[in-house]
Structures are given as C-alpha cells and as structure tokens.
C-alpha cells in the first residue's frame, strides 16, 4: 500500500487542482475577485504554515530577504490569483482549466528573454502550437467575441505572464538563497496575506455564506484542499517521485476541469475547445521535454568533466538533487491551479 501512496497522491492532486476552476467561478457570483483571493490565501496559508513548522524549514534569518518574498508574493500569488479569478467570472470553468495549461508556455517565453541559458531552438514550435491552441479557445471567428471570451482570455494571458515573471525573478533572486521550498511557499503566502489584508474591501464578503454549496466549495475545495493540502501533496510527490515526475501533474487539471464542466454542470464546451486543449498540451510537452533533455545533457557533461560521482547516494537523494530553480519553477507553476 505504501508503494501506491505517491500515485494516489499524484492522481488526487490532479483532481483537486482541476476542481478549483468551478469553485472560483461559483464564488465570483457572490463576492468580489479580491475577496476570493483573500479567502483562498488565508485558508490555504494555515496548512502550509503547519507543514513548514513540521519540517522546521523556516528561520528568522530568512527575513532579511523579505523584499524578495514580498515581490514573489505579488507576482506568484496576489496579482496572478486575482486575474485568474477575474477570468473565471467570464469564462466557462472547463475552458478556464484548459487555458491554464498554457502557463508553462508564457513562463518559458519570459525565461528566454531574461535568462541567458534558456534558448528557443526547437521549442519555438511548442510555443507556436500552444498559442494556436489558445487562439482556438478564444474563438476569434465568433461574432460575439468582444462580448464574451476576449476579456477572460486577456485576464488569463496577463495572469500567466505575471506568473511567468515570478519564475524569472525566482531564478535570479530566490534560487541562490537555497531556502527549502516549503519555507519559500510559506513566506510567499504569508506576505500575500498581509498585502491582501491592507487592500481588500471586506464589505459583503459574508455573502459567500448565502449558498452552502458555493461556501463549502470556496472554503474547503479551493482554499484548504485546493491551495493548502495541494501544496503539501506536491511536496510529498517531489520527495517520493522527484521534481520532474511531479511536474507532469500539470497535465491532469485541464482535463479534469473540462470533464467537470461538460458532464457535471452542462457547460457548452465544444470540439474546438477540446482541440485547442490538445494543442496546448502538445506545445507544453515539446517545451518541457526539450528542457528536461537539455538539463540531463548538461548534468551529464558536468559529471564527465568533474568525474566526481558518489555511487552511495540513494535514488531518493538523487531526486532531491533537482536544480533549485527548476524545483521553484514547478512549484510556482502549480499555483495557477
């Protein structure tokens, strides 16, 4: 049974993240996007803090980097969450989930612009294929485009770019700090919570209680499970299966979102949406597959040059030796969901 726990956690994480989109959409009918972000961060912060305390990964010495944590809280949480929640109010939840799969494409584009070692090469085809998928979902050929999808598509794209910029920032300023990812996430959510306490208008926030189903979905589904528990599950998967395997969970939520939207709440999801989703998946696969191959080649060359191989390291230790910037990138990327 213990051997199956990582797989169970992997599948559960995909389902939990895939369900987040419908919870966001329901909540936008009762309270404002900023109030939703506040509740999600506040309730998601609690289990993440508890996990970090359990791991004893935090230190007072870390707070000398508070400015970096604050910037990451804006890019990787507050602003990005806000635009995704805002998009949920205008887009179908299934379509929203499908579009979220394009986040790695935007993150990679920004990495190419600002991080020297990232090159386009053949991955440009992955970007183009993914963009075509986004365009198909946007349905520019629809006469009602300016009354429906365009605002939501803009919000998703802008939110994705903001999230992508957080990856660039993390690579340049957070990775060198060598702080455990559970502590980094705690600081990120914590600073985001402080910011939201200052800028959120709480007038009418109790309206979330007007619909029991939406209330439970917001509090339990989106916040405690979809944010707090999801981070913990992700950490567990990283420790058991490695960061590369954990990153592949990103392919599950869009499919789950489409299934929930079409089969359970009767959203008008058509063939074009499905084709667009497949193209986004394929584009992300090309980008990620090439990156993983390049990282493997780089590590192999480094090993051959130094010839310092420790054969006593366990397989689990090897998984934990994933470059920190890749690990942080994967963690940031998942918060989209």
């Amino acid at each position: 049974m213990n051997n199956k726990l990582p797989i169970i956690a992997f599948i559960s994480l995909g389902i939990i993240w895939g369900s987040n989109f419908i919870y966001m959409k329901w909540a936008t009918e009762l309270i404002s996007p900023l109030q939703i972000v506040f509740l999600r961060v506040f309730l998601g912060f609690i289990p993440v803090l508890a996990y970090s305390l359990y791991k004893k990964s935090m230190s007072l010495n870390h707070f000398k980097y508070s400015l970096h944590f604050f910037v990451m809280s804006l890019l990787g949480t507050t602003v990005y969450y806000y635009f995704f929640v805002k998009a949920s109010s205008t887009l179908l939840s299934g379509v929203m989930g499908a579009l979220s799969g394009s986040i790695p494409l935007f993150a990679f584009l920004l990495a190419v612009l600002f991080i020297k070692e990232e090159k386009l090469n053949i991955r440009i085809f992955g970007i183009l294929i993914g963009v075509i998928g986004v365009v198909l979902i946007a349905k520019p050929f629809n006469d009602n485009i300016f009354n429906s999808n365009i605002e939501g598509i803009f919000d998703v794209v802008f939110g994705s770019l903001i999230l992508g910029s957080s990856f660039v920032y993390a690579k340049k300023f957070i990775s060198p700090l060598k702080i455990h990812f559970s502590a980094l996430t705690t600081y990120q959510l914590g600073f985001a919570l402080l910011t939201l306490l200052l800028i959120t208008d709480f007038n009418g926030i109790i309206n979330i209680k007007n619909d029991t189903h939406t209330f439970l979905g917001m509090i339990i589904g989106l916040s405690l499970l979809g944010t707090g528990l999801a981070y913990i599950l992700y950490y567990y998967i990283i420790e058991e299966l490695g960061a590369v395997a954990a990153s592949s969970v990103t392919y599950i939520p869009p499919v789950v979102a489409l299934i929930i939207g079409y089969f359970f709440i009767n959203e008008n999801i058509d063939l074009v949406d499905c084709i667009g989703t497949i193209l986004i998946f394929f584009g992300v696969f090309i980008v990620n597959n090439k990156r993983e191959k390049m990282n493997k080649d780089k590590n192999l060359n480094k090993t051959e040059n130094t010839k310092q191989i420790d054969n006593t390291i366990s397989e689990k230790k090897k998984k934990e030796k994933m470059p920190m910037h890749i690990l942080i990138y994967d963690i940031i990327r998942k918060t989209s969901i």
Side-chain angles (χ1 to χ4, degrees):
M1 180 63 182
N2 288 338
N3 292 335
K4 296 180 179 179
L5 284 179
I7 304 301
I8 294 174
F10 185 92
I11 296 173
S12 299
L13 183 59
I15 295 174
I16 289 172
W17 270 332
S19 304
N20 280 353
F21 302 103
I22 187 59
Y23 298 141
M24 284 191 288
K25 186 170 184 63
W26 286 344
T28 58
E29 298 175 2
L30 298 176
I31 57 178
S32 72
L34 205 54
Q35 290 171 345
I36 294 171
V37 175
F38 169 77
L39 289 174
R40 179 177 186 180
V41 171
F42 173 60
L43 295 171
F45 173 70
I46 297 172
V48 170
L49 174 62
Y51 180 83
S52 189
L53 290 173
Y54 170 74
K55 284 288 187 178
K56 299 179 180 179
S57 59
M58 294 190 297
S59 169
L60 289 175
N61 188 52
H62 294 163
F63 285 93
K64 63 184 178 183
Y65 308 115
S66 292
L67 178 60
H68 292 316
F69 301 149
F70 173 69
V71 173
M72 282 298 297
S73 74
L74 291 178
L75 300 177
T77 303
T78 306
V79 179
Y80 146 65
Y81 273 7
Y82 173 78
F83 278 98
F84 264 62
V85 172
K86 188 170 176 285
S88 297
S89 66
T90 58
L91 296 174
L92 300 176
S93 65
V95 170
M96 181 68 193
L99 287 170
S100 74
S102 67
I103 290 174
L105 302 179
F106 295 105
F108 172 66
L109 276 177
L110 288 171
V112 169
L113 293 174
F114 296 102
I115 300 177
K116 292 182 179 180
E117 57 263 37
E118 292 285 2
K119 305 297 181 182
L120 272 178
N121 48 61
I122 195 174
R123 288 182 287 183
I124 185 63
F125 295 107
I127 298 292
L128 293 175
I129 292 172
V131 169
I132 291 173
V134 172
V135 171
L136 283 178
I137 293 177
K139 296 181 175 67
F141 43 79
N142 191 327
D143 292 336
N144 296 321
I145 181 64
F146 290 101
N147 296 323
S148 56
N149 280 5
I150 192 65
E151 182 181 354
I153 297 295
F154 172 80
D155 288 334
V156 172
V157 171
F158 188 74
S160 298
L161 287 172
I162 291 295
L163 183 61
S165 66
S166 73
F167 165 49
V168 175
Y169 192 89
K171 173 66 185 301
K172 287 181 174 293
F173 301 107
I174 303 297
S175 298
L177 304 181
K178 305 300 181 184
I179 298 174
H180 193 270
F181 47 80
S182 64
L184 288 172
T185 305
T186 303
Y187 301 146
Q188 181 173 315
L189 290 179
F191 275 89
L193 180 58
L194 292 176
T195 302
L196 290 164
L197 281 170
L198 296 175
I199 67 175
T200 302
D201 180 3
F202 295 101
N203 184 37
I205 196 172
I206 61 174
N207 291 337
I208 192 68
K209 296 169 61 178
N210 292 345
D211 186 291
T212 302
H213 197 177
T214 301
F215 175 73
L216 293 176
M218 174 72 231
I219 303 303
I220 299 176
L222 181 62
S223 303
L224 292 175
L225 298 181
T227 304
L229 179 63
Y231 273 120
I232 296 173
L233 286 176
Y234 188 61
Y235 299 151
Y236 173 72
I237 295 171
I238 288 175
E239 291 174 354
E240 295 297 322
L241 301 179
V244 173
S247 69
S248 62
V249 76
T250 190
Y251 294 102
I252 301 178
V255 176
V256 173
L258 284 172
I259 291 174
I260 291 175
Y262 185 79
F263 289 102
F264 293 95
I265 57 177
N266 299 317
E267 289 185 338
N268 186 26
I269 296 171
D270 55 29
L271 181 60
V272 174
D273 294 323
C274 294
I275 293 175
T277 304
I278 292 173
L279 289 176
I280 290 173
F281 279 177
F282 189 52
V284 172
F285 174 78
I286 292 175
V287 169
N288 284 347
N289 189 56
K290 187 66 178 178
R291 177 187 288 113
E292 290 170 14
K293 184 178 185 301
M294 291 174 66
N295 285 329
K296 289 179 180 178
D297 292 343
K298 183 178 179 180
N299 291 336
L300 181 61
N301 291 334
K302 183 177 180 180
T303 300
E304 290 177 346
N305 291 333
T306 61
K307 294 184 179 181
Q308 293 178 350
I309 303 174
D310 186 358
N311 294 322
T312 64
I313 299 176
S314 66
E315 189 64 28
K316 182 176 180 180
K317 290 288 185 180
K318 290 179 182 178
K319 293 173 184 174
E320 293 176 351
K321 291 296 182 182
M322 194 71 180
M324 181 62 74
H325 73 275
I326 298 177
L327 197 58
I328 293 175
Y329 165 59
D330 286 328
I331 293 171
I332 294 172
R333 185 174 65 178
K334 300 305 182 296
T335 60
S336 70
I337 304 175

